[in-house]
């Protein structure tokens, strides 16, 4: 089976979107338990930022 670059990018985008949504849910839970400015909440937020940056990079390439 041969993967096209577009097919691979589509799978990667979908995987990143799923990971972002899971991390957002985790962040909300941590924020509810520990507060909006807790170190753990901020770490999850930064991880989401990294995922969003990766998604943006993939979206820019053709």
């Amino acid at each position: 089976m041969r993967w096209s670059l577009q097919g691979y990018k589509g799978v990667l985008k979908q995987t990143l979107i799923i990971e972002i949504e899971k991390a957002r849910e985790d962040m909300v839970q941590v924020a509810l338990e520990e507060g909006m400015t807790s170190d753990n909440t901020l770490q999850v937020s930064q991880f989401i930022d990294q995922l969003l940056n990766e998604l943006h990079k993939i979206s820019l390439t053709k």
Side-chain angles (χ1 to χ4, degrees):
M1 176 177 181
R2 294 180 61 161
W3 281 80
S4 70
L5 183 57
Q6 286 303 109
Y8 174 74
K9 281 178 48 180
V11 170
L12 188 54
K13 277 183 174 182
Q14 195 59 36
T15 301
L16 281 169
I17 290 167
I18 290 167
E19 288 301 313
I20 290 165
E21 290 304 315
K22 288 195 319 194
R24 282 181 176 158
E25 290 174 12
D26 291 345
M27 184 178 66
V28 168
Q29 189 62 42
V30 172
L32 289 172
E33 292 173 7
E34 299 182 19
M36 293 287 289
T37 59
S38 77
D39 286 342
N40 289 329
T41 302
L42 296 176
Q43 285 178 355
V44 179
S45 177
Q46 290 170 347
F47 176 66
I48 292 169
D49 288 344
Q50 291 171 356
L51 292 174
L52 288 168
N53 287 337
E54 286 302 312
L55 182 60
H56 183 70
K57 283 182 203 174
I58 293 166
S59 297
L60 289 178
T61 61
K62 292 191 178 194

